[in-house]
């Protein structure tokens, strides 16, 4: 057997062992209580061994420990520290970080890649739907396939470690990176994170799960102090990470901020007591990019690797060892963890395993499956969808992003279709498909004579090494609102209006992921927008553009109140001329900042209001990162939530809109009716250095809405179908330390459909702890033909029936009579029954 095949087989065997353990329940391979749980009599169970535990258990490779120890004995202190921090890649192939090896001892380098929605920066890669789309399918098997594709493409593109998946919860709808998370629910997040980890590592890549822990905000993310109690951590915030460890994750990325007063990279309670001590993690811990702040404290707390450079773990670490402030044994332990993981994944075999070829066709096929499976139909009135008959032959496609190719952060296929192209192709030759933007996201050229002195600010070339500047004045006869849009191919031009810089550079990743409407022009130029209110009278405009080393083209454009009104009027005219309307509304994700509101950026809300008023058969397709406010909802015929659907999103949207595919997704986050009445509401998070307290405790997401008796716009688990469903005959009985829940689901409609049946459990009367009114305990995705029924069985394990007791520092089984609910969402539960849970 070849090295490549034996390695893959080993990874799959490990994954299968982990999956088998998980199938027996989080209680630990058949144990009646979860690992480390405490029964009501005070008896503690032994923690179950994690797949990422001891070196032998984690690797499954004979002689691994001896091989690692032999290497440690031969490494010099300088070589050891070289293995504890990143450095530039001499080959230029590292996408997000490079760990130099030690060539004289046969220790190869490792290359790291960001992986929010595909392998980013290493070359052409499949732009997969965002993790929130994957999660909306409620399908752990699909999550495993998603992970496998990531791992396979990483290996094909020369990468070894994927900085994925993100295991934190969607705590607030204002979170800037919610699209990269899975769910607000701890159980669902844990299930899916575990399968993505297994999938990545099935293919021989290392999954580095991030960001450990409490990384649910972007504002102040490097300096804020996230404060949460022990129960909140174990019962909700850390569930995804615990599942990742149980699935055998090779690495964990520490969060950039503080947790309970101590930086995550220096937090011994997190890294040693919980991650390694309680969970048995056997991999290594690396820092978030440029966020290690100390040397002695960090390595003493259990941080093993600094990325991407060696500011703390390079020369300062060697000096600390020589000075005696860090024991060399601590360095050895960190190196041992990294080498053990490298050996587990075949990097110390003496010959590199063959890398697979990238299969772009297979990637596109899976991207479309995920985008379709995760599409959530939120509303469908008057049979607006699916499009059929006359409604399918006369379609107005509206929206500023309708003509833009659907892609994603990984780059994706250059042949990715735009929504307009995909819908026109699906409608066929006999159909009339017309388009109107409704909002100008590129801007119109400024009149050459606007300024005094005049200047042409459209398509201006600035030669290499040169600087072009102009300052002029203009006058407005009346108050107006302008959106100024700058396009540029090099260094961003400086634009000052009345002395204020309109487009200042932002720090770090926030400069690339600015949020709002798309930040790229059709010609590939970068693009930034700024909306300003201008009073009647005179104004000053100054522009400075630098050619840089290669020269650059730039434009300065605008929209005004008059141009916006004209765009909306054109969209209304087009909407009235068609039998049906499909309107695409969009919002980009942000990094480094949170959303200021839940409204759509730009003038899209007003556009939807006007178009839906003109044509009630308007279906709004939302390609947005998270929950969205919908002041226009009652006017629309349908709303389809697709989040960020990746390179095949346009084709998936066409399939769902025309009924070729079922909208198979369900919400993994509650959509609030009012952004002011949501968990952790208030838009922007803590100021730099500020505290953010997780005052909701274990009442995350839908649990919070239930406890506060707040009616959401759309509840967790919600999603409509193109057919109709009936639930009946619920039965519950004890089984294997948990409960076995059975009920019948029937498709009562006239077409084949997909349903996600959900099971929730109520609180235990015998636990003196705050508990959710209903907690998700299990689910089943099923597809049934018209008139077909299925008896659904859901195993509710002991963990789903347990709470973390902060006094006992362990899990406690919630005994007594428990209510069990089954249905279509957290607020649509037609079936209810009781069962008695007993310890032992």
């Amino acid at each position: 057997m070849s090295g490549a095949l034996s390695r893959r087989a080993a990874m799959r065997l490990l994954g299968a062992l982990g999956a088998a353990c998980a199938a027996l329940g989080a209680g630990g391979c058949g144990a009646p209580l979860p690992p480390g749980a405490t029964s009501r009599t005070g008896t503690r169970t032994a923690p179950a061994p994690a797949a990422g535990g001891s070196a032998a258990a984690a690797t499954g490779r004979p002689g691994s420990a001896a091989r690692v120890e032999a290497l440690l004995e031969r490494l010099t202190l300088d070589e050891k520290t070289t293995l504890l921090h990143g450095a530039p890649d001499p080959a230029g192939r590292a996408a997000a970080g490079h760990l130099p090896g030690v060539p004289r001892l046969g220790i190869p380098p490792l290359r790291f890649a960001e992986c929010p929605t595909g392998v980013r920066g290493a070359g052409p890669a499949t732009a997969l739907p965002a993790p929130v789309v994957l999660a909306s399918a409620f399908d752990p098997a699909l999550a495993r396939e998603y992970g496998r594709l990531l791992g396979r493409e990483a290996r094909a593109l020369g990468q070894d470690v994927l900085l994925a998946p993100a295991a934190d919860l969607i705590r607030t709808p204002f979170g800037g990176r919610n699209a990269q998370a899975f769910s607000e629910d701890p159980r669902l997040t844990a299930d899916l994170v575990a399968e993505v980890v297994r999938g990545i590592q099935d293919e021989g890549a290392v999954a580095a799960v991030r960001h450990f822990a409490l990384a649910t905000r972007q504002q102040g993310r490097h300096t804020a102090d996230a404060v949460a109690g022990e129960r909140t951590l174990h019962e909700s915030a850390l569930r995804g990470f615990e599942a990742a460890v149980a699935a055998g994750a090779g690495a964990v990325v520490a969060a950039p901020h503080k947790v309970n007063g101590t930086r995550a990279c220096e937090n011994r309670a997190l890294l040693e007591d919980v991650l390694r001590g309680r969970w048995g993690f056997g991999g290594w811990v690396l820092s978030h990019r440029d966020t290690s702040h100390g040397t002695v404290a960090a390595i003493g707390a259990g941080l093993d690797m600094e990325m991407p450079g060696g500011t703390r773990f390079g020369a300062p670490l060697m000096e600390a060892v020589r000075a005696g402030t860090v024991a060399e044994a601590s360095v050895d332990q960190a190196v041992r963890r990294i080498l053990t993981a490298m050996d587990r994944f075949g990097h110390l075999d003496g010959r590199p395993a063959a890398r697979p070829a990238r299969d772009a066709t297979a990637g596109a096929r899976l991207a479309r499956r995920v985008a379709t499976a995760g599409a959530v139909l939120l509303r469908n009135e008057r049979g607006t969808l699916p499009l059929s008959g006359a409604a399918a032959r006369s379609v107005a496609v509206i929206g500023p992003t309708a003509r833009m190719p659907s892609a994603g952060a990984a780059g994706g296929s250059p042949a990715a279709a735009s929504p307009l192209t995909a819908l026109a192709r699906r409608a066929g030759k006999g159909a009339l498909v017309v388009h109107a933007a409704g909002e100008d996201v590129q801007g119109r050229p400024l009149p050459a004579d606007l300024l005094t002195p005049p200047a042409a600010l459209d398509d201006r070339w600035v030669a290499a090494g040169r600087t072009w500047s102009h300052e002029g004045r203009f006058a407005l006869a009346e108050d107006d609102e302008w959106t100024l849009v700058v396009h540029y191919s090099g260094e961003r031009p400086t634009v000052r209006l009345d002395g204020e810089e309109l487009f200042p550079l932002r720090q770090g990743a926030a400069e690339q992921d600015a949020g709002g409407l798309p930040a790229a022009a059709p010609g590939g130029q970068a693009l930034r927008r700024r909306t300003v209110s201008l009073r009647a009278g005179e104004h000053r405009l100054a522009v400075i553009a630098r050619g840089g080393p290669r020269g650059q083209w730039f434009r300065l454009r605008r929209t005004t109140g008059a141009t916006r009104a004209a765009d909306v009027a054109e969209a209304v005219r087009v909407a009235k001329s068609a039998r049906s309307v499909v309107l695409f509304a969009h919002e980009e994700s942000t990094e480094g900042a949170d959303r200021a509101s839940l409204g759509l950026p730009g003038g899209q809300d007003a556009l939807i209001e006007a178009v839906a008023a003109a044509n009630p058969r308007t279906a709004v397709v939302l390609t947005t990162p998270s929950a969205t406010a919908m002041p226009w909802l009652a006017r629309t015929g349908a709303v389809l939530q697709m989040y960020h659907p990746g390179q095949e999103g346009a084709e998936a949207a066409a399939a769902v809109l025309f009924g070729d595919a079922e909208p198979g997704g369900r919400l993994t986050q509650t959509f609030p009716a009012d952004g002011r009445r949501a968990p952790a509401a208030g838009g922007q998070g803590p100021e730099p250095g500020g505290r953010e307290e997780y005052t909701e405790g274990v009442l995350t997401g839908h649990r919070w809405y239930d406890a506060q008796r707040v009616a959401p716009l759309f509840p967790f688990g919600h999603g409509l179908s193109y057919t109709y469903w009936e639930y009946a005959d619920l039965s519950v009985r004890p089984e294997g330390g948990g409960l076995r829940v059975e009920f019948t689901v029937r498709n009562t409609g006239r077409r084949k459909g997909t349903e996600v049946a959900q099971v929730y459990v109520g609180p235990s009367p015998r636990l003196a702890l705050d508990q959710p009114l209903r907690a998700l305990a299990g689910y089943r995705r099923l597809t049934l033909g018209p008139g077909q029924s299925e008896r659904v069985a859901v195993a509710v394990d002991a963990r789903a029936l347990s709470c973390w007791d902060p006094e006992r520092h362990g899990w406690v089984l919630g005994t007594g009579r428990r209510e069990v609910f089954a249905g279509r969402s957290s607020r649509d539960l037609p079936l209810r029954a009781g069962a008695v849970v007993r310890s032992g």
Side-chain angles (χ1 to χ4, degrees), residues 657-696:
L657 291 167
F658 281 89
D660 303 330
E662 174 84 352
R666 302 295 183 264
L667 289 182
T668 69
Q669 57 188 301
T670 306
F671 278 34
D674 184 341
R676 296 167 297 182
R677 302 201 69 193
Q684 299 298 315
E687 292 301 316
R691 285 167 59 94
E692 181 173 17
E693 298 195 32
Y694 280 57
T695 55
E696 70 274 19

Side-chain angles (χ1 to χ4, degrees), residues 223-258:
T223 55
D225 184 8
V227 178
E230 182 180 324
R231 185 176 175 213
T232 302
L233 287 170
H234 286 279
E235 200 165 319
S236 58
L238 301 186
R239 284 289 303 278
F241 295 98
E242 182 184 6
V245 170
V252 166
V253 180
H257 53 257
K258 297 176 184 177

Side-chain angles (χ1 to χ4, degrees), residues 177-201:
R177 295 177 76 181
N178 281 357
Q180 294 179 25
F182 291 88
S183 172
E184 68 186 21
D185 186 83
R187 171 59 185 260
L188 182 60
T189 296
D191 290 349
L192 300 177
V193 164
E195 291 307 317
V196 172
V197 166
R198 292 185 179 107
I200 289 170
Q201 299 190 164

Side-chain angles (χ1 to χ4, degrees), residues 272-419:
E272 290 292 341
D273 298 348
V274 174
L275 184 63
R276 294 190 173 103
R278 180 169 288 276
W279 297 345
F281 177 61
W284 85 92
V285 179
L286 60 149
S287 73
H288 188 276
R289 185 177 184 89
D290 292 324
T291 58
S292 53
H293 292 267
T295 300
V296 177
I299 198 162
L303 183 72
D304 302 307
M305 182 186 292
E306 177 190 7
M307 292 301 287
T311 305
R312 311 294 179 184
F313 276 20
L317 180 55
M318 284 197 292
E319 292 169 7
V321 173
R322 289 168 181 149
T325 55
V326 170
E328 190 165 353
S330 297
V331 173
D332 288 349
Q333 180 63 283
V335 173
R336 181 179 291 111
R337 290 168 180 149
I338 294 166
L339 290 179
T340 298
M342 290 180 72
D343 191 54
R344 171 188 171 189
F345 286 87
H347 292 288
L348 302 183
D349 285 347
R351 61 184 186 279
R355 292 186 182 271
R358 178 174 174 257
D359 188 340
T361 301
R365 189 164 50 243
L366 181 64
R368 190 178 302 188
R369 278 182 58 204
V370 174
T372 303
V376 186
L377 185 61
L378 298 177
R379 173 180 169 88
N380 194 19
E381 300 295 315
R382 304 177 296 275
T384 299
L385 295 179
L387 299 174
S388 61
R393 294 192 294 273
S394 173
V395 184
V397 181
I398 294 174
T401 57
R403 295 186 77 122
M404 296 182 182
S406 177
S413 168
S418 70

